[in-house]
Amino acid sequence: MNSKTVPNTATGQKASSAHRSYEEELREAGIRITKPRKVILKILTQASDHPDAMEIFRRAVKVDASIALATVYRTMKMLEDLGAVHRHSFEGGPARFENADAEHHDHLIDLDTGDVIEFHSERIEQLQQQIADELGYDIEHHRLELYGRKRKK
Amino acid sequence: MNSKTVPNTATGQKASSAHRSYEEELREAGIRITKPRKVILKILTQASDHPDAMEIFRRAVKVDASIALATVYRTMKMLEDLGAVHRHSFEGGPARFENADAEHHDHLIDLDTGDVIEFHSERIEQLQQQIADELGYDIEHHRLELYGRKRKK
DNA sequence: ATATCTGCAAACCGTTTGCGGTGTA
DNA sequence: TACACCGCAAACGGTTTGCAGATAT
């Protein structure tokens, strides 16, 4: 019993702000705006954390009890394909999602609470780039996750 | 799917040479050395790549057709708990394993071939440490993976 | 009107586990 | 001999999918 589970209820920090609304994006892509989608998109717009599919489903059911989990999964995949959300597979838990229009950042996951803290280091990005260069590779994307606990001083 | 260890920038990397043998480790831990385990351990000792459970199973069956996939999973978990192997969950595939006694390194995954290239940057490690410090966290472990394709120049 | 979308249930895939029998220490 | 271990099959958790009916455009 050494597997740590990462709880996935975070109390987020920044709210997602100035972006083209999800509905707008769907409309542009010629995708129908249905009732279940409206509910899910609103939840995503309001979310300040990194919810997983089940959590989105729980929030959605409160608004419309007839929504199916499968629809949540289908909608998230559709949004991911559109490039509107990012999917993160952190250790020891289901995939978690976040709006894609924030600037690129990496994540620090609080092992005790599941909270996700975003950070960015231009220097690290450069070093990654340099390493890939030296190895003769073009980076398509990368994943940098720190797993830790609050320092008790 | 092979794996290369690349001598690299900052800190040099030594070849994952023979340290304490797996069998020795098991014996010290008071764990029985059975026939299926012998087969699996030999496969791991000889492996120069990062095989997943199914691949280890395939190789094992060639040696002893009666081995079960469940035994591979059980053995890998046991080795992981012992700290003898590391489990990596790269994107879009099953977990892959590698011997734990190499020095710490990160991974670049070739998206075309699945090859895994190891690298290490002391500078990046320092920066991660610094970021965690600033955020008030102690890092337990981290994950840095670059996903890319060979540069066609 | 009709193609897209839905809910439901079943399938999926990698992994774990309960069982009763086997073999190691 | 005793208990750890095995193979087998069934269960698991997260996710995807086939279907037939519902709905947005």
Side-chain angles (χ1 to χ4, degrees), chain B residues 11 32 45 57 64 67 83 85-87 95 113 119 135 139 148:
Chain B
T11 301
R32 291 183 183 171
T45 301
F57 175 65
D64 175 354
I67 286 178
V85 302
H86 288 149
R87 173 191 301 255
T113 65
F119 66 88
L135 295 173
I139 297 180

Side-chain angles (χ1 to χ4, degrees), chain A residues 55-86:
Chain A
E55 177 59 28
I56 294 167
F57 174 64
R58 271 186 235 110
R59 297 179 195 178
V61 161
K62 285 187 200 160
V63 179
D64 175 353
S66 73
I67 286 179
L69 180 56
T71 300
V72 173
Y73 276 108
R74 275 192 280 238
T75 302
M76 296 319 294
K77 175 174 271 203
M78 181 260 289
L79 291 171
E80 195 189 359
D81 290 349
L82 269 178
V85 302
H86 288 149

